[in-house]
Amino acid sequence: MAKRVLVLNGPNLNLLGTREPAIYGSQTLQDIEDLCGTAAAELGLAIDFRQSNHEGELVTWIQDARMSADAILINPAAYSHTSVAIADAIKAVGLPVVEVHLSNIHQREPFRHHSYVSAVAVGVLCGFGALGYKLALQALAEKL
Ligand code: DQA
């Protein structure tokens, strides 16, 4: 059976395409979902692609992944820098997690340099735009 990857996107990523295009590019979240779908098919992975603006909903989805996924790809967006709850949920489920950011968070404001999620992720990709999602799926396919 194909390994299942839950792809989670945090707050404001639903606005990609029009949101600060100089930083995040012109691709929409639908474009990224399509790119992930193509990459997953090539890698033999089954993906479940979601976005939420709500921290608790992301925590619940991570918890539920215990039963429904083999790995998680997450762009926690602004919650990367604030959410102990999301990091705790990732630790609790014990699934391999790759963290992705479209922008290079280390070239940006100091408050973006720290991510609570990085400490509980197997790896982190940032600065590659939408390509980061594809690279993260490749890394998870190898890992699984
Ligand atoms: C982001 C980087 C975060 O700092 C920011 O809050 C986002 C998007 C990225 O993909 O580059 O919303 O995660």
Side-chain angles (χ1 to χ4, degrees):
M1 212 180 76
K3 297 289 184 185
R4 303 154 303 172
V5 179
L6 177 62
V7 183
L8 294 181
N9 295 277
N12 300 306
L13 294 174
N14 54 312
L15 300 181
L16 287 176
T18 56
R19 176 191 180 199
E20 301 183 86
I23 295 174
Y24 297 115
S26 56
Q27 282 179 300
T28 65
L29 193 62
Q30 184 62 56
D31 293 334
I32 294 177
E33 180 170 358
D34 293 346
L35 175 153
C36 285
T38 304
E42 286 167 9
L43 294 163
L45 298 172
I47 59 163
D48 179 1
F49 191 98
R50 304 184 192 183
Q51 187 274 334
S52 178
N53 292 324
H54 303 279
E55 184 177 17
E57 187 164 43
L58 291 162
V59 167
T60 299
W61 286 345
I62 292 165
Q63 290 182 6
D64 291 349
R66 274 175 304 175
M67 312 304 294
S68 56
D70 299 296
I72 299 173
L73 183 171
I74 185 167
N75 181 347
Y79 289 141
S80 317
H81 318 301
T82 63
S83 182
V84 174
I86 287 176
D88 279 353
I90 289 170
K91 246 197 287 192
V93 301
L95 293 172
V97 170
V98 174
E99 178 184 0
V100 173
H101 298 281
L102 296 160
S103 62
N104 182 346
I105 55 176
H106 302 290
Q107 281 178 344
R108 301 182 62 195
E109 305 95 318
F111 70 84
R112 295 186 202 274
H113 296 179
H114 176 260
S115 164
Y116 286 98
V117 173
S118 300
V120 293
V122 291
V124 183
L125 281 149
C126 74
F128 294 105
L131 173 64
Y133 284 71
K134 183 177 175 178
L135 297 173
L137 288 173
Q138 285 174 351
L140 284 171
E142 289 276 338
K143 181 113 192 119
L144 293 169

